[in-house]
Amino acid sequence: MGRILVIDDEESIRSLLQTILQRRHHDVLLAASGAEGLEQFRQHAPDVTILDLKMPGMNGLQVLQHTRAVAPMAPVIVLTGAGTEATEQEARAYGITAFLTKQFSLHELGAALRLVLGNSA
């Protein structure tokens, strides 16, 4: 089991991911903004961060830049409803683990988590 930080401004997405991940016995931390997520990241050093790109204030790419300054190899799964090829390339340049759209399947999410956490995902 792992500690997973979910950073997304949409309450419904946070709630859905929390339910799914807790059923798989993960410790789930939630953040409703980029700034809040960055603070949680610094305080709790999650095993995986699931990060939305489009958020008011500090967007996901800005959060990603800051997390890389703290922990350059920390696993990050980008989950976005506004992903373009250019945005995906920019996120991948920061070494993300996976890039999923918000129309993701549980299989895709599970596969991305297994990449980081192994069979316990």
Side-chain angles (χ1 to χ4, degrees):
M1 298 354 103
R3 177 179 297 146
I4 300 174
L5 171 59
V6 176
I7 307 172
D8 198 305
D9 62 321
E10 291 183 54
E11 195 279 326
S12 61
I13 297 293
R14 289 192 314 274
S15 179
L16 173 66
L17 289 171
Q18 180 178 33
T19 299
I20 291 167
L21 296 169
Q22 285 179 338
R23 284 184 185 162
R24 294 181 177 193
H25 307 288
H26 295 292
D27 179 23
V28 181
L29 305 166
L30 302 174
S33 70
E36 181 184 351
L38 191 54
E39 183 63 28
Q40 292 264 17
F41 184 88
R42 287 181 175 141
Q43 285 182 2
H44 300 287
D47 297 309
V48 182
T49 300
I50 299 175
L51 175 63
D52 183 21
L53 289 183
K54 189 174 181 184
M55 296 183 288
M58 181 183 287
N59 70 35
L61 288 174
Q62 292 168 319
V63 172
L64 193 53
Q65 288 174 327
H66 289 288
T67 61
R68 289 301 182 235
V70 174
M73 302 306 290
V76 176
I77 297 169
V78 169
L79 180 65
T80 187
T84 65
E85 190 173 318
T87 305
E88 181 175 354
Q89 287 177 351
E90 189 172 357
R92 288 195 185 281
Y94 287 106
I96 62 169
T97 304
F99 190 95
L100 305 174
T101 65
K102 286 193 177 174
Q103 293 82 21
F104 69 96
S105 71
L106 294 181
H107 175 73
E108 290 173 313
L109 179 60
L113 289 171
R114 276 190 298 282
L115 238 145
V116 176
L117 300 173
N119 290 332
S120 67

